[in-house]
Amino acid sequence: MNIRDLRYFLAVAEVQHFGQAAEQCSISQPTLSGQIKKLEEELGVMLLERSNRRVMVTEIGEQVARSARRILREVDTIH
């Protein structure tokens, strides 16, 4: 897990759309999807529920998002 992956996950969690989040992060949608999948595999949990029309943050995803926001605030403070 790295800071970049947390930023990518939060982007998807906030806009609930992979394409929009990828554009926001200035990366391709397949790259973003792959990084989120890698993060989920590393954590051993499903962070997002995906369907053809929607992306929803799971309950554990909400918990991870709260922690990620806190971590990224600390990182920004250090910078």
Side-chain angles (χ1 to χ4, degrees):
M1 175 185 340
N2 60 51
I3 300 299
R4 181 194 65 215
D5 293 342
L6 295 178
R7 289 189 195 281
Y8 290 171
F9 166 62
L10 285 178
V12 175
E14 289 170 7
V15 298
Q16 296 186 351
H17 190 276
F18 277 92
Q20 292 173 7
E23 189 173 310
Q24 182 180 329
C25 295
S26 301
I27 61 171
S28 71
Q29 187 273 326
T31 299
L32 178 71
S33 295
Q35 290 301 116
I36 299 296
K37 186 72 173 162
K38 184 186 84 162
L39 180 61
E40 289 177 321
E41 289 171 359
E42 186 175 341
L43 295 175
V45 296
M46 190 170 163
L47 300 171
L48 302 166
E49 287 185 28
R50 301 152 176 87
S51 73
N52 290 339
R53 298 202 177 262
R54 300 177 53 164
V55 176
M56 296 185 319
V57 182
T58 64
E59 187 175 326
I60 190 73
E62 289 289 349
Q63 293 172 17
V64 171
R66 282 192 296 275
S67 293
R69 285 184 192 99
R70 189 175 57 249
I71 290 164
L72 292 175
R73 278 193 305 269
E74 292 296 325
V75 168
D76 290 343
T77 299
I78 291 169
H79 281 140

